[in-house]
Amino acid sequence: MIDMESKYGIPTVAVHVHVFARLVDSTARTNGMPRARQAFVPAPMFNQPPAVLRGYIEGDDAVHGGPFMRRVFDLLTEPIPGEDLRGSGWERSTPRLIEPDTEDNLERLFRENHWTDYLPIVLPTEERVEAMLAGTSRGPDEVVGKHRPTIGMELWESTVEKAAVNAVMAGAAPEHFPVILALCASGDTGRQSSMSSMGNMVVVNGPIRSEIGMNSGIGALGPYNHANSAIGRAFGLASQNLQGGSVPGISYGGSQGCNLSYNCCTFAENEERSPFRPFHVHRGYEPEESTVTVFYVWGSVWSEHLRSYWQEKLQAMMSGLEPLEGALLVLDPIVAREFCDRGLDSQEKIAEWVFENVRIPARRYWDHIMLNMVHEQVEAGVEPWASLSKADPDELIPLFQTFGVNVVVTGGETNGHFSIFQGAQMPPAFRSDPTLPLTAPIDPWR
Amino acid sequence: MAVATKQKLTVLNPEGYPPKVDARGMAPALETLQGKRLFLVDIGFENSGPFMAQLHGWLEEHEPDIRTEVVRWRDQHNPDPELCARIAAEGDAAIVGVGT
């Protein structure tokens, strides 16, 4: 919309739902057009019948008041001041140091600036940051990557020192820092601003797991290990601060939010007890390389053991998930071996089983998420979406393609626990750098 | 809980580096919409198509002198240069939505 005005000279009113008024205002300012033409209808927009939509049009602007259509006409016909015809640009930066103050006042300042997760932080003094920097061979001024809350928002940049500041705040140790740097360089964010309230799951593979004492055994997904807890928290804090914020209504839009965001559900794969290839080897790395993989997850269902009715159970557990957003199976080693006993002795075979056996009616498949996210590919003839779009409404079609199913093994074998998360990796276009690998190497950051 | 010290500390700012904001000028306003061609751009989020259809119906009913056409943005997350060029060539103004 900004391009339509500034590049093509088309007076354009952008219509938004009212809950994003502050986000829209912020985006307009940072795009150099602070008074862009905006009009607002009430939320919700999704899943509303035509009569409700007509009511929005015939009602009042949900932010500014007065008839909605009157505002649209006024925005297109009222003269624009010269300063807005020119736009408004400026240089920005952030200072390296903060004005010295007491511990209490600094803690409060960090909270008020939305730089924390509202739990106590370790204040990043110069001495602590310097100690963190000893955890990498990289220089403090080296650029780590670019960051943004979601597609379409501006890209901020980070350095090794800025990542170290956030690692200190999270309570991480210098030996954790290469993993944190790899996460910051991954093109992913631990504070994704989706309305859908997604969180993260971070999986670490390779020798660094044992070198820094990560947990892949009993309680791997819980708060029982320094490295698991601090690395995940550091990824979250670094994401929100390096990308320019994660503030509800401005740079975060998830309706409910996600509790997994506190430490991005960070754990190590139990490669030693898994019957499968380690996840990073599955992704093309050597076993002696260390990697980190970021998934975006929404929630999970769980069960224990693959019992006599395991196929029926898996179908039931998975068929309520949303298409497109993927499935992430997190298996205790006991359950991984039970899959092997049933002939599914690799991640690929489990994904193929899901593709063949978990199916839903096309009418349900093509509602909501798929309707929102895939129509461009359908119209462009991209497979498999183009063919699937031709299915009869009651035809049963695969809920997930094989590439949408991932399998990770972790846990301490106290029982045959497994969880199926609605979750996937972010499509390249949504990542801050679409050329980066989906599983990121850690070793270059040592 | 440890008692916080009254000593003043120097700490580092945790924020990344924002990009420069480039000035982007708005398009001049129209003197009137009567007799003009208004494009209604469906950006592709759920229900933005039906919303634009309702808007199209409302304008035909209440403002018949404004010519309207509903078009669809090819990619809901990125500008559609071909469509923008067409609107610039054939239209006078646009309503884009619905941003969620």
Side-chain angles (χ1 to χ4, degrees), chain B residues 48-71:
Chain B
S48 56
F51 178 87
M52 287 301 166
Q54 289 298 318
L55 187 55
H56 181 66
W58 189 93
L59 285 162
E60 282 197 326
E61 192 177 319
H62 294 88
E63 300 286 346
D65 290 339
I66 302 174
R67 292 172 294 146
T68 54
E69 179 178 342
V70 177
V71 290

Side-chain angles (χ1 to χ4, degrees), chain A residues 192 194-200 252 254 257-258 261 296-298 426:
Chain A
Q192 226 284 349
S194 168
M195 292 182 294
S196 67
S197 300
M198 65 180 77
N200 296 91
Y252 180 76
C258 183
S261 299
Y296 294 79
V297 296
W298 286 263
M426 199 57 78

Side-chain angles (χ1 to χ4, degrees), chain A residues 3 167 273 412:
Chain A
D3 266 3
R273 298 292 299 163

Side-chain angles (χ1 to χ4, degrees), chain A residues 140-274:
Chain A
D141 295 330
E142 285 192 57
V143 172
V144 174
K146 291 184 182 291
H147 317 271
R148 63 183 176 188
T150 191
I151 190 170
M153 299 185 78
E154 61 178 359
L155 287 162
W156 286 42
E157 194 170 82
S158 67
T159 60
V160 170
E161 183 177 79
K162 288 287 190 179
V165 172
N166 285 278
V168 168
M169 289 167 60
E175 61 266 29
H176 305 155
F177 194 40
V179 186
I180 296 165
L181 283 169
L183 283 163
C184 291
S186 66
D188 288 298
T189 174
R191 295 285 188 268
Q192 226 284 349
S193 174
S194 168
M195 292 182 294
S196 67
S197 300
M198 65 180 77
N200 296 91
M201 179 175 286
V202 172
V203 182
V204 178
N205 280 98
I208 201 164
R209 295 167 307 128
S210 54
E211 292 168 17
I212 62 176
M214 290 193 76
N215 185 13
S216 61
I218 296 175
L221 274 67
Y224 304 107
N225 177 274
H226 183 199
N228 292 29
S229 296
I231 289 169
R233 188 188 187 204
F235 179 43
L237 292 177
S239 295
Q240 68 187 55
N241 292 325
L242 301 181
Q243 72 188 13
S246 182
V247 180
I250 298 175
S251 43
Y252 180 76
S255 187
Q256 292 187 324
C258 183
N259 198 263
L260 295 170
S261 299
Y262 278 106
N263 91 320
C264 299
C265 195
T266 299
F267 62 91
E269 188 169 43
N270 194 338
E271 298 175 15
E272 291 72 19
R273 298 292 299 163
S274 172

Side-chain angles (χ1 to χ4, degrees), chain A residues 2-6 8-17 20 29-33 35 37 41 45-48 50 53-54 57-58 69 72-73 76-78 80 84-92 94-98 100-104 106 110 115 123-126 151 154-157 159 161-162 165-166 169 195 241-242 368 372-373 375-376 379 430, chain B residues 1-34 38-39 41-59 61-63 66 72-89 91-100:
Chain A
I2 298 280
D3 266 3
M4 289 177 72
E5 291 261 3
S6 66
Y8 295 91
I10 309 162
T12 304
V13 175
V15 179
H16 303 274
V17 290
F20 292 114
R29 276 188 290 106
T30 56
N31 273 280
M33 192 182 287
R35 280 173 288 281
R37 297 168 166 105
V41 293
M45 176 60 58
F46 289 8
N47 201 32
Q48 300 305 303
L53 303 180
R54 177 62 77 106
I57 291 162
E58 293 176 342
M69 287 307 299
V72 170
F73 292 153
L76 292 173
T77 56
E78 288 182 349
I80 302 297
D84 289 329
L85 293 173
R86 291 186 295 275
S88 176
W90 70 94
E91 291 281 355
R92 291 180 293 173
T94 52
R96 180 170 182 268
L97 297 174
I98 290 167
D101 210 333
T102 64
E103 187 178 340
D104 280 349
L106 288 169
F110 274 56
W115 291 341
L123 287 169
T125 61
E126 290 181 283
I151 190 170
E154 61 178 359
L155 287 162
W156 286 42
E157 194 170 82
T159 60
E161 183 177 79
K162 288 287 190 179
V165 172
N166 285 278
M169 289 167 60
M195 292 182 294
N241 292 325
L242 301 181
H368 189 41
N372 258 334
M373 304 297 288
H375 64 81
E376 295 101 342
E379 289 166 9
F430 283 76
Chain B
M1 185 177 176
V3 177
T5 176
K6 296 295 179 193
Q7 179 191 346
K8 289 197 172 183
L9 302 174
T10 298
V11 301
L12 277 75
N13 183 308
E15 296 175 289
Y17 298 104
K20 176 178 181 284
V21 174
D22 293 317
R24 316 276 290 274
M26 293 174 68
L30 303 172
E31 287 186 5
T32 178
L33 285 166
Q34 301 305 310
L38 183 59
F39 277 84
V41 183
D42 159 19
I43 63 169
F45 277 117
E46 180 178 338
N47 246 352
S48 56
F51 178 87
M52 287 301 166
Q54 289 298 318
L55 187 55
H56 181 66
W58 189 93
L59 285 162
E61 192 177 319
H62 294 88
E63 300 286 346
I66 302 174
R72 184 159 184 170
W73 203 270
R74 195 169 43 192
D75 178 347
Q76 61 189 227
H77 296 291
N78 289 298
D80 184 336
E82 287 177 24
L83 182 58
C84 288
R86 184 184 159 219
I87 295 171
D92 300 291
I95 300 173
V96 176
V98 176
T100 53

